[in-house]
Amino acid sequence: MTRATKRLNFAPASMLGLLLLLLLLDGPRAEQIDANDEEVDRFCYPTKHRNTRLSCECSNVSAAPWGMRALHIDCSYKDFKAEDLTGLLPLYIDTLDLSWNALDRAPVFSSDSLRLLNLMHNNISAIAANNFGHLASLRELYLSWNSIQQLDAQAFQNLPHLTVLSLEHNNLHTLPTQIFAPMLVLATLELSWNRQLNESIGQDVYRNFGINQKLQKLRLDACNLQELELPRTVPLEELSLRRNPFERVPSQLPGSLRSLDISENRLEHLMPEDTRHLSELRQLFVEDMPRLRSIAAHSLASLHALESLSFQNTRSLNYIDGNAFVAESGNQTLPPLKSIIFRGTLLRTFNATLSPVFGQLTELDLNGVPLNCDCQLVWLKSLNVQTNGRCLHPARIRGMLISSVRRDEFSCERWPRWIYGMIILGLIALCAAGVYLIVMGLRPHRGVTMRRKVGAGSPYARVTIEPNRQENVH
Ligand SMILES: *[C@@H]1O[C@H](CO)[C@@H](O)[C@H](O)[C@H]1NC(C)=O
Ligand SMILES: *[C@@H]1O[C@H](CO)[C@@H](O)[C@H](O)[C@H]1NC(C)=O
Ligand SMILES: *[C@@H]1O[C@H](CO)[C@@H](O)[C@H](O)[C@H]1NC(C)=O
Ligand SMILES: *[C@@H]1O[C@H](CO)[C@@H](O)[C@H](O)[C@H]1NC(C)=O
Ligand SMILES: *[C@@H]1O[C@H](CO)[C@@H](O)[C@H](O)[C@H]1NC(C)=O
């Protein structure tokens, strides 16, 4: 089979005619394609690695809508060093995966078509100036899980179309000013797990580092941040601040946020000021908080657009105020909330004032919550959702699902337990007293002694029996 027919086989039937025409009209281009096939071979199956596990996997896909060739090259898990790779990439290359190799620097590639470059899990420690400057179409660049400590001030020069940049799990401390400025349409910036990034991230982040104002997603997990100020007016939608030492939710965050993850931080009480400016928020994650104990009154009332809320595994959380969703003015406008997760918390009871909010949920997860099933909690039975909540108290229904406990079993003891104790003690004391009295009553009276004077009138008087003299008359 000739190269030309191979190409034709690849094209979808509908494109066949068009492609033929193109091939006929565009002679030089056809030659270029032929040359490129050798190039693909050179890149994917280099002679020196032929028949070894070091060759890459190259696969053709036809990218919609024109059935254009797009080449995906997967060179992951190969122990490549940077010098093993040729800089000129094959024509039509679309994605290049070089993750899990032994690259000690980011290779300098050139290609007009490369859209995605994955360099995760290597040993890159620095990015030089203009390292990716010859990848004019690059949209996504993944540099996470390396040991990058140094970024040249011009490291991301000439990447005007980049939308995703991931630098997670590196060793960045300080970022050069305006480092992100060349990326004019950057939409996602991931900087999580650079544990000493607190040295440069704090105030004025957008301005200092030239972050695109239209950024949509920002991830700053585990960066040791104690303070953060982002402009209120930028249209950021997703922010992740997991596993930082924040003691309050940062007070200056973009008002447009739709998703905020503040899990694994050091808040002890969720307060109204934590959520005051987040009226657009749809999702809030407050999971795995080691210290969070309570959700204060009004603290969730400003979240007018909230759809889902998770406190999963916040193991010390033991109180949610009945007015958590009620504004300080006393006004309750119900958010369009659909899901609340309390799985793995220590909450024991829910005030019935929460019922309008809980009543509209399609998911309420109470797995592992040690519920106190008394008369104050019986309202939970009228919810339509399956919560998987089980009773811990009282003992006679311990371990039973709320849904299978009868309403009348949610009873309240009218008096506290110690009163029952006192009553029993009192009864015992009364019995003891009664027994004592009976015993005392049966004993003869102290005044009525059996001792009587033995005297002349007494029946116990001494009787002297004398011999009968009449028998001795003679
Ligand atoms: C991809 O498809 C083209 C055209 O059909 C063909 O010439 C080329 O050999 C293919 N490359 C690979 C790596 O399969
Ligand atoms: C990673 O690079 C450093 C120097 O930057 C080197 O000391 C280390 O041995 C390298 N690690 C691996 C696994 O290659
Ligand atoms: C960054 O965090 C570390 C660890 O908590 C701390 O020792 C250091 O002082 C912080 N640096 C700044 C500038 O806040
Ligand atoms: C429930 O909330 C209402 C209103 O805040 C309050 O008056 C009541 O005392 C609460 N009930 C319990 C058992 O905490
Ligand atoms: C309560 O809410 C309504 C409409 O949401 C508003 O018109 C009213 O002024 C609010 N009342 C108070 C005391 O804020």
Side-chain angles (χ1 to χ4, degrees), residues 3 6-8 10 37 40 45 58-60 69 71:
R3 282 188 182 280
K6 257 201 284 178
R7 255 192 316 271
L8 292 184
F10 168 76
D37 288 337
V40 171
Y45 316 108
C58 298
S59 54
N60 268 320
R69 270 177 69 184
L71 196 58

Side-chain angles (χ1 to χ4, degrees), residues 297 319-323 326 349-354 376:
Y319 176 74
I320 174 169
D321 195 282
N323 287 328
V326 181
T349 191
F350 297 98
N351 194 318
T353 47
L354 292 166
Q376 282 168 12

